Amino acid sequence: MTRKWKDSRGLTLVETLCAVAILVLLGLLVNTGLNLAMRGYRELTAQSELELLGSTLTSALADELRYAREVETEADGRVTRFHSHRYNYPDPDRAYTELKVENGKLYAGIYQMVPDGAYNHGAYELRPGAFRVTCADGLFRVSLTVQQAGGGLSRTVEFTVRCLNYKPTT
């Protein structure tokens, strides 16, 4: 009978439990690594999309401000309204445009400047308190901040644009 036990092949219960424990630990390490990689991927994607939104808004604003006419400013230089070649109201008595942020999106008068898809359908927004347009001697200075909806990552963009049709109004 002793001989039969010595000749049997296979693993003992302790060896099997050790192998299972090692496999569980390896599985946990792989899972943790994948979670870290996915989090990094999501953050990089979000940052890239914020930069793309900032660039899109920069292009749209620069195109609009470059051809603005009859620019009205406050004493501190902040632009209150201007005549737009693209976004004027349909009402001829109100031939001016105001730039404003509503619901996290940039509007020129009553028109949205970039489509909802640029904001990833609500995933990103323009921070209302961090949008400012000033004008001095035909040079617009723009500062805006785009962020993830509900906080998180953000991107601030500042640029200047020379107005080709600048004639100050009083």
Side-chain angles (χ1 to χ4, degrees):
M1 183 150 244
T2 324
R3 186 170 184 241
K4 188 173 184 185
W5 284 104
K6 288 182 180 180
D7 287 325
S8 68
R9 298 180 192 257
L11 300 174
T12 65
L13 181 61
V14 173
E15 291 171 333
T16 304
L17 289 175
C18 286
V20 168
I22 290 171
L23 287 175
V24 167
L25 289 175
L26 286 174
L28 288 172
L29 286 173
V30 168
N31 186 33
T32 303
L34 285 174
N35 285 337
L36 288 173
M38 289 301 295
R39 185 180 315 138
Y41 170 77
R42 278 188 227 103
E43 286 178 5
L44 283 173
T45 302
Q47 190 64 37
S48 175
E49 288 178 348
L50 283 172
E51 290 183 20
L52 183 60
L53 176 58
S55 175
T56 303
L57 288 168
T58 298
S59 295
L61 274 169
D63 289 346
E64 188 58 32
L65 295 174
R66 185 171 289 119
Y67 300 104
R69 291 176 298 182
E70 302 171 26
V71 178
E72 294 182 14
T73 59
E74 292 184 358
D76 62 353
R78 199 174 85 230
V79 174
T80 55
R81 61 187 191 174
F82 59 94
H83 180 77
S84 170
H85 71 286
R86 188 180 313 163
Y87 294 108
N88 277 344
Y89 287 92
D91 182 3
D93 294 332
R94 294 176 56 175
Y96 62 87
T97 300
E98 296 173 349
L99 295 173
K100 59 188 171 193
V101 176
E102 287 182 5
N103 300 323
K105 297 174 184 154
L106 182 62
Y107 285 85
I110 60 173
Y111 303 105
Q112 191 171 319
M113 289 194 73
V114 295
D116 286 336
Y119 299 97
N120 199 2
H121 302 287
Y124 306 105
E125 62 188 10
L126 189 59
R127 190 178 300 165
F131 174 68
R132 183 172 172 87
V133 180
T134 59
C135 184
D137 298 325
L139 187 65
F140 289 101
R141 287 184 176 77
V142 180
S143 175
L144 59 92
T145 300
V146 291
Q147 67 182 7
Q148 284 181 311
L153 296 173
S154 66
R155 170 87 166 115
T156 299
V157 179
E158 295 179 351
F159 63 97
T160 58
V161 176
R162 170 75 53 195
C163 181
L164 300 177
N165 300 321
Y166 180 73
K167 291 181 187 172
T169 60
T170 55

